[in-house]
Amino acid sequence: MAEKGVLQRYLSVGEVARRSGVAVSAVHFYERKGLISSIRTDGNQRRFHRGILRKIAIIKVAQQTGIPLSEIGAAFDKLPHNTVPTAKDWAKLSSQWRDDLNDRIEQLTRLRDQLGQCIGCGCLSISDCPLRNPADALADDGPGARLLELEEE
Amino acid sequence: MAEKGVLQRYLSVGEVARRSGVAVSAVHFYERKGLISSIRTDGNQRRFHRGILRKIAIIKVAQQTGIPLSEIGAAFDKLPHNTVPTAKDWAKLSSQWRDDLNDRIEQLTRLRDQLGQCIGCGCLSISDCPLRNPADALADDGPGARLLELEEE
DNA sequence: CTAAAACCTCAACTAATATTGAGGTCAAGC
DNA sequence: GCTTGACCTCAATATTAGTTGAGGTTTTAG
């Protein structure tokens, strides 16, 4: 029973899946991708530290913001290695992702506000349509590089 | 020259690509997916109505909102067939997509506003974290169906 | 002790959104 | 009239995020 108490601190892949709400195959997948890690029993079965649940929770939340797994993994890699991340560590992560989110929200909002006008009227047809050629996009490509020429005759 | 004038009303795939800012392969792809269509010359080359440029513009804009090609195609299919869509037709489209956009923006905003709190503190660890268990998600799954049990011991 | 449930690996498959390449044809300019 | 660039089809490849299945092992419950 003392032994069982110790073992209880680790979770099997099935428990992780059940408690995090992701499929066992997804847990395996995240491990293959290096997002999470595990130790093995003598019988080669995975055992996860219970902190894994928080990590998976964060993976799912980050995915909702549109962040790809590779970036999530990169962010995790910057976390202190071999020591449990502190609240401060997580806060740093979330602050960076919040910036991404803000950008994305801003982009979608701009899109929404111009959607009716630009699709409904002739706006899309001129080369400086704000939807197809937002100022920041132009900055990257050089002026006029990818303008849509809808009506030039 | 009169003939050339008539031909000018149609665009080759290369012209479409150049003027819409998408690759030739993407134009082919959209056609295979039924999003756009073309007629053929005697020599089997595609010729596009110039309205195609607007359609591709709309495809790219809709993609920015996160709408998959299949849905864009479905929306296009509801447009009057064999007649050029009116401003009203496009407006209807954009109004529906604006609703989608609004939902998406709302979701991301909620995410942003709770990100710091939920990742930084212990919030993710309790089963009713608003990020992992927004009320609307619970409604679908039945109460408590997929709650994250981070700290139950 | 044994049967069932859970686990293991590895490979193949899915879906969306294209791009790349092979092998061949068409069209335009010198 | 020939070369070159643009075009054609079809198949394979790429990426992201996983799932599914085959074939075999470990753990757990009775």
Side-chain angles (χ1 to χ4, degrees):
Chain A
M1 280 302 166
E3 178 126 356
K4 171 118 188 198
V6 171
L7 288 177
Q8 274 297 83
R9 312 188 54 172
Y10 291 93
L11 304 171
S12 70
V13 67
E15 288 173 311
V16 170
R18 186 175 49 74
R19 293 175 57 170
S20 66
V22 308
V24 168
S25 60
V27 177
H28 286 177
F29 181 73
Y30 295 150
E31 188 177 21
R32 269 208 313 288
K33 289 291 167 181
L35 290 158
I36 59 180
S37 61
S38 63
I39 55 177
R40 298 296 176 118
T41 63
D42 287 351
N44 196 35
Q45 297 199 352
R46 291 172 179 83
R47 287 299 178 268
F48 295 89
H49 204 260
R50 52 179 49 258
I52 208 70
L53 295 178
R54 171 181 293 270
K55 237 172 174 177
I56 292 179
I58 288 170
I59 290 169
K60 300 317 280 181
V61 167
Q63 281 191 307
Q64 282 184 62
T65 80
I67 296 169
L69 290 186
S70 56
E71 266 187 61
I72 300 172
F76 280 175
D77 284 346
K78 289 182 198 150
L79 252 32
H81 214 53
N82 282 334
T83 160
V84 176
T86 66
K88 211 168 209 170
D89 293 324
W90 292 129
K92 201 167 154 193
L93 248 194
S94 74
S95 133
Q96 193 199 310
W97 285 343
R98 191 170 43 240
D99 290 346
D100 289 355
L101 255 183
N102 270 328
D103 289 350
R104 180 92 181 112
I105 289 169
E106 205 177 305
Q107 186 197 348
L108 291 183
T109 302
R110 193 176 55 213
L111 201 53
R112 179 195 60 191
D113 293 343
Q114 292 171 338
L115 193 62
Q117 286 203 324
C118 290
I119 287 188
C121 76
C123 178
L124 274 176
S125 63
I126 51 178
S127 59
D128 54 1
C129 169
L131 270 191
R132 301 240 45 219
N133 294 289
D136 40 349
L138 282 177
D140 287 346
D141 292 348
R146 287 177 139 257
L147 296 181
L148 180 71
E149 308 163 48
L150 217 55
E151 300 296 357
E152 160 259 296
E153 191 79 18
Chain B
M1 280 303 167
E3 178 126 357
K4 171 116 188 202
V6 171
L7 289 178
Q8 275 297 82
R9 311 188 57 172
Y10 292 93
L11 304 171
S12 70
V13 68
E15 288 173 312
V16 169
R18 186 174 50 75
R19 294 175 57 171
S20 67
V22 308
V24 168
S25 61
V27 178
H28 285 177
F29 180 73
Y30 296 151
E31 187 177 21
R32 269 208 313 289
K33 289 292 168 181
L35 288 158
I36 59 180
S37 61
S38 62
I39 54 177
R40 298 296 177 115
T41 64
D42 286 351
N44 196 35
Q45 297 199 351
R46 291 171 179 83
R47 287 300 177 269
F48 296 90
H49 204 260
R50 52 178 49 257
I52 208 70
L53 294 177
R54 171 180 294 271
K55 237 173 173 175
I56 293 179
I58 288 169
I59 290 170
K60 300 317 280 181
V61 167
Q63 280 191 308
Q64 283 185 59
T65 79
I67 296 169
L69 290 185
S70 57
E71 265 186 62
I72 300 172
F76 280 175
D77 284 347
K78 288 182 196 150
L79 252 31
H81 213 53
N82 282 333
T83 161
V84 176
T86 66
K88 209 167 210 170
D89 292 325
W90 292 128
K92 202 168 153 192
L93 250 194
S94 74
S95 132
Q96 193 199 309
W97 285 343
R98 191 170 43 239
D99 289 347
D100 289 355
L101 256 182
N102 270 328
D103 289 350
R104 181 86 182 121
I105 289 169
E106 206 178 304
Q107 186 197 348
L108 291 183
T109 302
R110 193 176 55 213
L111 201 54
R112 180 196 58 192
D113 293 343
Q114 292 171 338
L115 192 62
Q117 285 203 324
C118 290
I119 287 187
C121 76
C123 179
L124 274 175
S125 63
I126 52 176
S127 59
D128 55 0
C129 170
L131 271 192
R132 302 242 42 222
N133 294 289
D136 41 351
L138 281 177
D140 288 345
D141 292 348
R146 287 176 140 257
L147 296 183
L148 180 71
E149 307 162 49
L150 216 55
E151 300 297 357
E152 160 258 295
E153 191 82 18

